[in-house]
Structures are given as C-alpha cells and as structure tokens.
Amino acid sequence: MIGTRVAKKYATALFDLARKGGREQAVWEELSALHTALSKDRRLLDLLVAPQIPDGDKVRLVKAVLQSAAQDIVRNFVLFLLDKRRIDHLMEIIGLYRHLLDASMGIVEAKITSAVPLSEPEVRAIIARLERISQKKVRHDLQVDPKILGGVVVILGGEIIDHSVRHDLSRLRDQLRSITVHQAA
C-alpha cells in the first residue's frame, strides 16, 4: 500500500513535469521502451536496486543505457529515483504514468475475457458498447479463458462486468440454495 502511494506520487510528479513541456506522449514512448527492456531482462533493474552496487556505478549505468534518450526528462527522472532510493518503484511508476496519460486523453482500459476467441465484429460491438457506457475511448486487451464457459467478463477501468455463463450458473445455484421448501401437511 505504501509502495503504491509512493509510486503514485512520483508518477504524478513526472506526468505534471512532462505536461508542462507538452511532452506527455514523448515521455510515455521512452518510458514504454524502458519498461519493455526491463521486462525482457530483469537483471538491469536488479542491479539498480542492489544495495551492494555503489551508487556511482548505478549512475554511470543509467547514463550509459539512457544516453540516447530523446527526452532528458526520463534519464533525469531515473537518476532522481536512484538518488531518492525509490528505483524499486520504477515499473509501477511507469504503469501509473500510463494511466495518467490515458485519463488525460479520455481513454479507459478494458480487459475482455471470453470462453472462445471473439470475431472482429463481436469485438467491435463490445468496444462500441463499452465506449457508450464509459463515454471514453476504450483500449482493450483480449483474453480467452474456457473456464468462464460462455459469454464475456470485462474489467473496465477497475470495474468488473461479468456476463459469463459461469457467473450466471453460480448466481442460479445460490438462488436455488436460498429457496426454502415447505412440506405439505
């Protein structure tokens, strides 16, 4: 919980700084590339977090890795996190920055899970409905999970919309269990 608050504070500060310069999208592109690189090879982040590595070595490493960064703001931010000993929050900060950028652009994220792969017309229809509900542009991630049996489960900006067969059967089971049967006298 404290980690999330810390990450949110830093992500908000970075986003505000980028917005002042009108560089929100450019900063996001570099953060996204950094996130991808760190996700592919966690050793770099492990080195930056490791207490046994001298701070000077960490600074040189960041400057070498991010030397071609078009936005000095990203390199300076990572160096700032190192200095404040908050580098362990970097990945979470990047994710939160993405949410702040999306919110500023009127975009909401949706995770759509279906029992079978959806056709393109089905996806378009679901997205159109979600955009009407949220009154925002929807960025979506499709997943298939046969365990839901049928229908779809959508997580839209943190809210769960469950129209799966599994959920309906579970509700029906609960309703049937709550019925009291009286014997005829």
Side-chain angles (χ1 to χ4, degrees):
M1 186 65 138
I2 290 175
T4 300
R5 280 190 303 199
V6 167
K8 188 172 183 178
K9 175 180 145 185
Y10 282 98
T12 301
L14 178 60
F15 184 76
D16 290 345
L17 184 62
R19 187 178 1 203
K20 284 180 186 171
R23 301 183 295 177
E24 308 95 272
Q25 188 64 41
V27 166
W28 165 246
E29 289 167 11
E30 285 196 21
L31 288 173
S32 179
L34 180 59
H35 188 276
T36 299
L38 293 173
S39 295
K40 285 183 182 175
D41 189 356
R42 294 285 304 191
R43 291 179 296 175
L44 177 59
L45 189 57
D46 291 342
L47 284 172
L48 294 174
V49 173
Q52 62 271 26
I53 307 290
D55 290 344
D57 291 347
K58 293 177 184 180
V59 168
R60 283 189 288 283
L61 178 63
V62 168
K63 286 182 177 178
V65 170
L66 297 177
Q67 71 181 356
S68 64
Q71 301 294 326
D72 288 340
I73 190 171
V74 173
R75 179 178 41 250
N76 292 339
F77 181 73
V78 173
L79 291 170
F80 179 75
L81 290 176
L82 273 173
D83 183 55
K84 295 297 180 185
R85 306 220 182 283
R86 298 296 194 186
I87 197 70
D88 54 324
H89 297 287
L90 180 60
M91 298 297 270
E92 187 177 6
I93 291 167
I94 293 172
L96 291 169
Y97 183 96
R98 169 74 181 264
H99 290 294
L100 291 168
L101 180 62
D102 285 352
S104 75
M105 296 170 48
I107 297 172
V108 66
E109 191 134 345
K111 178 180 166 187
I112 303 167
T113 305
S114 60
V116 296
L118 298 171
S119 68
E120 196 56 40
E122 290 171 323
V123 171
R124 281 195 305 270
I126 291 170
I127 297 302
R129 178 113 190 250
L130 293 174
E131 287 179 346
R132 277 194 310 274
I133 291 169
S134 67
Q135 297 184 349
K136 294 182 178 185
K137 178 118 177 83
V138 173
R139 178 185 301 116
H140 64 282
D141 175 34
L142 298 174
Q143 296 184 352
V144 175
D145 182 0
K147 292 180 201 161
I148 69 169
L149 304 177
V152 295
V153 176
V154 176
I155 301 175
L156 179 65
E159 181 180 333
I160 299 173
I161 304 167
D162 192 342
H163 290 289
S164 65
V165 171
R166 181 179 175 178
H167 176 73
D168 291 345
L169 288 172
S170 176
R171 277 195 345 226
L172 181 60
R173 181 191 65 227
D174 292 344
Q175 288 173 351
L176 289 173
R177 285 182 176 166
S178 68
I179 295 173
T180 306
V181 179
H182 300 284
Q183 292 182 340

